[in-house]
Amino acid sequence: MVNPNRGAVGFKSTEFEQEYDRPSKSQLKRDMTALQKLGAELVAEPKERVMRVPMPEDVRDAILECQKIKDHEGRRRQMQFVGKKMRTLEDDEIAAIQKVIDSWKGASKAETAAMHALERRRDKLLADDKALTDLKEQHPEIDVQQLRTLIRNARKEQAESKPPKAYREIFQILKQLQGKSSGAAGSAAAPATSDENDDTEEE
């Protein structure tokens, strides 16, 4: 006779529930991979940003140490250690870190969109003389003569395949105008790490 407290196959139903309550091996592996990736994202960020992320000091130290290592094998081992440290975090600590990283990504998207808008406006200035008139109406303070000269020089640079010096200067002027009209938000919209700035500094 089958024990009424057991299922038809002779096991208590609660034994199955306990089994299914535990994360599967594949789920544990996905969680470990996600935490390793989260650690790698932090390692890839500048030290100044990592210092502002809420996390235990031992985890932060592991990340900062990894940033210093240039040797491929040494860095690989340290990345594994970072992953191990990430797995010691509580769920709320992981959520706090992820929230900060997500905010960086959102800001980066906004910065990229703003930079592309400036690039499109610059290209319009080169393609259409009326665009300079429109810009003057929006920003009466601009030096029209200076911009007209830069536009002429930029067109010549493109026609003769010369280094785009004037082309970049136009971008910088447009970025400054955006900063004036948008205040601090406008200034942040064109990051100092953009290729435009890097190229300008190299000259």
Side-chain angles (χ1 to χ4, degrees):
M1 181 177 177
V2 177
N3 188 324
N5 292 325
R6 295 177 180 268
V9 291
F11 291 101
K12 290 181 182 179
S13 60
T14 54
E15 291 176 11
F16 285 108
E17 290 170 8
Q18 290 169 358
E19 181 68 27
Y20 285 112
D21 278 345
R22 294 194 215 107
S24 66
K25 286 184 179 179
S26 57
Q27 181 60 49
L28 287 171
K29 187 173 182 180
R30 282 195 294 270
D31 291 345
M32 287 172 62
T33 301
L35 286 170
Q36 187 81 44
K37 184 181 176 185
L38 193 63
E41 287 187 63
L42 289 167
V43 169
E45 292 293 337
K47 178 182 177 181
E48 293 72 22
R49 271 190 165 183
V50 176
M51 294 300 292
R52 296 198 298 268
V53 181
M55 70 177 83
E57 284 305 312
D58 60 330
V59 179
R60 194 192 317 278
D61 289 344
I63 291 167
L64 296 178
E65 183 61 31
C66 191
Q67 290 181 339
K68 298 175 188 175
I69 300 173
K70 303 302 180 186
D71 174 68
H72 177 74
E73 181 58 25
R75 192 177 178 90
R76 185 187 68 80
R77 285 198 300 269
Q78 185 64 19
M79 276 302 308
Q80 288 181 333
F81 182 66
V82 168
K84 184 178 178 181
K85 283 292 184 182
M86 295 295 292
R87 293 194 290 276
T88 67
L89 296 172
E90 299 294 335
D91 288 345
D92 59 332
E93 293 174 321
I94 295 168
I97 292 172
Q98 188 65 62
K99 184 177 180 181
V100 174
I101 290 178
D102 289 345
S103 73
W104 291 343
K105 291 177 180 176
S108 295
K109 287 179 182 178
E111 289 167 357
T112 301
M115 189 175 74
H116 288 169
L118 291 177
E119 289 171 346
R120 286 193 298 272
R121 183 150 207 176
R122 173 181 58 187
D123 291 341
K124 193 171 181 181
L125 284 170
L126 268 62
D128 184 1
D129 290 335
K130 186 178 179 296
L132 181 56
T133 304
D134 294 340
L135 186 65
K136 171 69 174 174
E137 290 176 0
Q138 293 174 17
H139 301 278
E141 74 277 13
I142 64 170
D143 186 336
V144 176
Q145 189 57 46
Q146 179 197 17
L147 260 175
R148 189 173 285 122
T149 300
L150 286 172
I151 291 168
R152 185 169 60 248
N153 290 344
R155 287 169 178 167
K156 188 176 180 182
E157 288 168 356
Q158 291 182 343
E160 299 177 5
S161 300
K162 289 184 176 181
K165 186 175 181 180
Y167 189 69
R168 291 171 185 150
E169 285 186 42
I170 294 170
F171 181 91
Q172 295 301 324
I173 290 173
L174 291 176
K175 189 173 75 170
Q176 288 168 10
L177 292 174
Q178 183 192 57
K180 289 176 183 177
S181 60
S182 312
S187 298
T193 54
S194 74
D195 291 340
E196 295 289 344
N197 291 27
D198 292 344
D199 288 341
T200 305
E201 290 170 3
E202 288 172 8
E203 293 178 351

